Amino acid sequence: MTTKSNKLQYGWTLISHPTYQIFTNKNSYAIIDEDNDVMLRFTLQENEIEIHGANWNLNYKINLGFKTLKIINTPED
C-alpha cells in the first residue's frame, strides 16, 4: 500500500492512503475517503488524541510514542 505522511499540530503525523483528504479547523480534523464520506473525526492535544467519530469499518493504529495516527484502510477498487 502506498501511503503519505501529513504533519499535524503538536508534532503528530497522519499516515494514510494518498487519495484520502484532510480537513482541519485549529486542532480538529476530518478525514474524507474517495467516496466523499467522513472516515474519521478527531482532535489533538500535545499528549492525547480524541476520536469523535469513525466509519464503522475503519481500521487505524495510534502510536503515542511516535505521535502517529495510521489509517490502515485502503480505497476499494
Side-chain angles (χ1 to χ4, degrees):
M1 171 176 92
T2 302
T3 61
K4 71 175 179 179
S5 295
N6 297 281
K7 297 295 181 189
L8 308 177
Q9 282 192 325
Y10 306 109
W12 284 86
T13 301
L14 173 72
I15 301 168
S16 66
H17 192 273
T19 61
Y20 296 156
Q21 300 177 58
I22 303 169
F23 293 91
T24 184
N25 183 12
K26 296 186 182 177
N27 66 332
S28 297
Y29 296 87
I31 310 302
I32 311 297
D33 69 9
E34 70 280 3
D35 296 323
N36 293 320
D37 293 327
V38 176
M39 296 178 64
L40 182 65
R41 292 183 310 108
F42 62 95
T43 55
L44 293 175
Q45 296 297 323
E46 181 67 36
N47 294 313
E48 68 181 17
I49 184 168
E50 182 176 354
I51 306 297
H52 296 285
N55 199 334
W56 67 272
N57 64 348
L58 182 66
N59 295 306
Y60 58 91
K61 185 185 298 187
I62 299 171
N63 184 317
L64 297 175
F66 290 106
K67 289 186 160 183
T68 59
L69 169 61
K70 181 176 184 179
I71 296 179
I72 300 168
N73 295 58
T74 58
E76 296 179 10
D77 292 331

